[in-house]
Amino acid sequence: MTERRRARMRIRRQRIYVVRRIVVAVCALLCCVLAVFSTIDAQRVWPRGESVAQGQAEVQGQAQKVSQSAQQSASRVSASASSLDRQQVPVFNQAIQEQRDKEAQRARWTNPTGKQPDLSQYSDLSVKVSIAKQEVYVQSGGETIYTMIASTGLNDTTPRGNYVIGMRGDHFYNPAEGMGADYWVRFNGPFLFHSVPTGANSGEYMEEEGNKLGQPASHGCVRLTVADAEWFYNQIPEGTPVTIA
């Protein structure tokens, strides 16, 4: 190899080395430039993120204010409603309660005292009247099978003793007393088992008299609820023993 060729090869190697160094330097410069631009972009984005966060915080704050305002409004409405309730409901409830009490009181002297048995299924029947308890007991073989609330005579005018069931009728009216009754069953002369008092016509029950059921109230007869009087009228056999004490 000649000296000239060797010189050319050295020159090529030096050029290649220089080119490589230039390429490396350019790459390094590009990396630095890219890093700078990335930093600038990040700095630009960062304030916007804070603005968004601030916007969200403001929206949340507004939402909380609206919620608080709604709660305060609801509280004011609730307080107003409570005030209205306090002013009006007691009167309204009192009227309802009075109506319910009236209906319950009426039911007490119109409905059966309890579950009425079928007396055709029993034998050895008898009737006992307790003046002290204002109750009538229908018994079979000496065992009570049905108890009825009753009203006997004022001033102990219901006769005490032993009697038997006699004739019966669906209605009577006594002009002298200004009242009558439905479903009457005689046990001793003018003394009867019958419903709470009526006016001149059957079914015209006197509420004031009916409300007295359970305490002495008659002129000597034994008053029963309307339903019990009808049941007694339909089912108690004639000749059944009656004891009043």
Side-chain angles (χ1 to χ4, degrees), residues 42-232:
Q43 289 177 348
R44 289 177 180 176
V45 172
W46 177 254
R48 292 180 183 177
E50 289 182 347
S51 299
V52 171
Q54 291 176 356
Q56 290 177 345
E58 291 178 359
V59 170
Q60 291 178 352
Q62 291 294 331
Q64 290 178 352
K65 289 181 180 179
V66 171
S67 176
Q68 292 175 353
S69 178
Q71 290 177 355
Q72 292 174 355
S73 298
S75 299
R76 288 194 294 270
V77 171
S78 177
S80 177
S82 299
S83 177
L84 183 64
D85 289 345
R86 293 191 189 97
Q87 294 175 4
Q88 295 185 0
V89 169
V91 176
F92 181 68
N93 285 346
Q94 182 65 29
I96 291 177
Q97 189 60 49
E98 288 177 357
Q99 181 64 27
R100 288 177 178 172
D101 291 344
K102 186 176 181 180
E103 291 173 356
Q105 199 168 32
R106 181 176 177 81
R108 182 172 174 270
W109 56 263
T110 57
N111 295 342
T113 303
K115 185 177 180 180
Q116 298 168 332
D118 180 0
L119 295 186
S120 66
Q121 303 301 312
Y122 296 88
S123 60
D124 191 20
L125 295 171
S126 61
V127 178
K128 288 188 176 182
V129 179
S130 171
I131 293 177
K133 294 184 178 180
Q134 295 293 285
E135 292 179 336
V136 175
Y137 312 104
V138 178
Q139 298 182 324
S140 174
E143 297 293 329
T144 299
I145 58 175
Y146 189 54
T147 300
M148 299 181 286
I149 187 173
S151 282
T152 59
L154 287 166
N155 303 317
D156 203 23
T157 52
T158 300
R160 300 168 188 262
N162 298 316
Y163 310 98
V164 295
I165 295 295
M167 62 184 299
R168 68 197 66 200
D170 57 7
H171 178 72
F172 76 89
Y173 178 70
N174 187 338
E177 296 177 355
M179 64 179 65
D182 292 340
Y183 311 115
W184 59 269
V185 177
R186 179 174 288 132
F187 65 88
N188 178 32
F191 297 102
L192 316 169
F193 292 98
H194 59 66
S195 71
V196 295
T198 68
N201 299 315
S202 176
E204 294 179 349
Y205 299 107
M206 299 179 175
E207 186 169 349
E208 183 178 354
E209 291 296 323
N211 292 338
K212 297 177 182 178
L213 195 66
Q215 63 189 39
S218 75
H219 295 91
C221 292
V222 180
R223 297 177 180 177
L224 305 172
T225 73
V226 176
D228 282 345
E230 183 177 10
W231 171 83
F232 195 76

